[in-house]
Amino acid sequence: MKSVAKKVFRSFTLELPIYAALAIAYVVLVLHYLGHWLFQLFKDERDLYAIVALTLIVGQGYVLELVTRGLFGIIRGKKEK
């Protein structure tokens, strides 16, 4: 049981900084490139803003999962060789 807990903890300590870096990069990029447009959308078209914001949130989660799954596939692939 300890080896399973050790693997889970190791995976968590690897995933956390990767998720944090990708999430921060996403927020910075969205604010930089879409910040003004999102603010105007918020002021003028609240319903459309809500849809766009939810789409961005779901899209971020999906892309983040794909990227981290790919990175860990590469990392685990190198370790097994």
Side-chain angles (χ1 to χ4, degrees), residues 14-28 60 64 68:
L14 283 173
E15 286 181 37
L16 187 62
I18 291 172
Y19 274 120
L22 291 173
I24 290 169
Y26 170 80
V27 168
V28 169
Q60 174 201 4
L64 189 60
T68 53

Side-chain angles (χ1 to χ4, degrees), residues 7-50:
K7 285 182 182 179
V8 169
F9 181 72
R10 185 175 163 274
S11 177
F12 178 74
T13 57
L14 283 173
E15 286 181 37
L16 187 62
I18 291 172
Y19 274 120
L22 291 173
I24 290 169
Y26 170 80
V27 168
V28 169
L29 289 172
V30 166
L31 287 178
H32 179 71
Y33 290 109
L34 299 177
H36 181 70
W37 178 71
L38 286 171
F39 180 67
Q40 289 299 327
L41 201 58
F42 176 76
K43 284 183 3 182
D44 300 333
E45 300 283 337
R46 292 259 171 116
D47 293 338
L48 183 58
Y49 170 79

